[in-house]
Amino acid sequence: MNNHDDRRDKFGALLRHTLQQSQIAPPADFARDVARKLDDLPEQATLESWLVRVVMTLAAATVAVSALQWTGSAVEHVLRLLDGAPWPFLLLTAGIFSGMKLMELAQQPPVDWMERIGRQ
Amino acid sequence: MTETDDMAAHDRALVEAVLARRSGAFETLVEAHQRLVWHLVYRMVQHPEDTRELSQETFLRVHRQLHRFRFESRLSTWIGRIAYHAAVRHLERKRLPIVEPGENEISPVERVADDFDLAAACANEELVAHLQAAIESLPPLKRTVLTLYYLEELAISEVAKITDTPEGTIKNMLFRSRAQLRAMLEEKPGEST
């Protein structure tokens, strides 16, 4: 079989004629439509990236607010604990401890600052 | 410079222009290949709206994949392959067969005489309509192969590349389609081709 002959013979010509008759041509504006659709794609991509940024910012803000609320409640909890502390007893203990330290320091020989500086 | 070299140079220039995002280049590419894509897809799916959608999808895919085109075939063949596969996927989604069962049956009318009056046959609207109906009744792959070969006048090797089918199978398919169509025409009472 020679296919090139098939295309050139009478039945081939009739087939081509019939195919041409039944064929629908693409619309006149098809190429422009496709090119425009393509131009819209980067814009859509930009819009999508902006939407993603907005969503990410909102998500970060929500996390920050909830974290602040959590921090606030943690501080409140600590203050509540301090409110119930025996402050007079703690202050008295700290005073006695400080007095003892001062007496210790008083019994030590005075530091010769001029000699220490000269040694350095 | 041969015609093939000329085509290759034209393809290369067009592809480079599109990749360089030169204004109007992609529109030119679509204009140059829209006929092939439209005809191929329409023959496969036979639905105008689906044809428009699939042809658009084909060209958007072409734009996305164009950097992968290695100039190993003609640009039209590469674009045709993309269109063909888009149409095949569409038919598969709709669960429509692409080839008919019993494709290997040999038609008894393979050697029908070729002595009819071509001008009279082309002018016979009823005959042409009957042949159109016969073509439309063929399975999608057969009618697409006929369109690519007879209407787009592509070489068998190009039809084979587009449809991912061996050249021998395409030759067989064309041979059998012709025989089948002639048989269908001869079955029509009162007609002699």
Side-chain angles (χ1 to χ4, degrees), chain B residues 27-28 67 95 118 156-157 189:
Chain B
E27 200 174 324
T28 309
H67 64 282
R95 295 176 194 279
L118 177 62
I156 284 179
S157 59

Side-chain angles (χ1 to χ4, degrees), chain A residues 3 7 9 22 33 37, chain B residues 43 52 56 149 154 178:
Chain A
N3 282 295
R7 196 149 50 178
D9 69 15
S22 63
D33 272 2
K37 203 162 209 172
Chain B
R43 278 296 163 211
R52 189 183 181 100
Q56 277 188 355
Y149 183 70
L154 298 184
R178 270 177 71 102

Side-chain angles (χ1 to χ4, degrees), chain A residues 72-116:
Chain A
S73 70
V75 169
E76 206 175 292
H77 185 70
V78 171
L79 287 175
R80 211 179 305 128
L81 279 177
L82 290 176
D83 267 355
W87 287 112
F89 175 74
L90 286 174
L91 284 172
L92 184 66
T93 311
I96 293 168
F97 184 75
S98 305
M100 283 167 68
K101 270 289 171 193
L102 282 170
M103 284 171 70
E104 242 176 66
L105 284 172
Q107 283 169 6
Q108 282 179 4
V111 181
D112 188 350
W113 290 104
M114 293 309 287
E115 188 197 4
R116 192 172 277 189

Side-chain angles (χ1 to χ4, degrees), chain B residues 81 84-85 141 157-167 170:
Chain B
R81 272 171 70 96
Y84 174 75
H85 286 289
L141 182 57
S157 59
E158 284 178 286
V159 179
K161 275 183 198 163
I162 287 175
T163 57
D164 267 341
T165 310
E167 284 187 30
I170 296 292

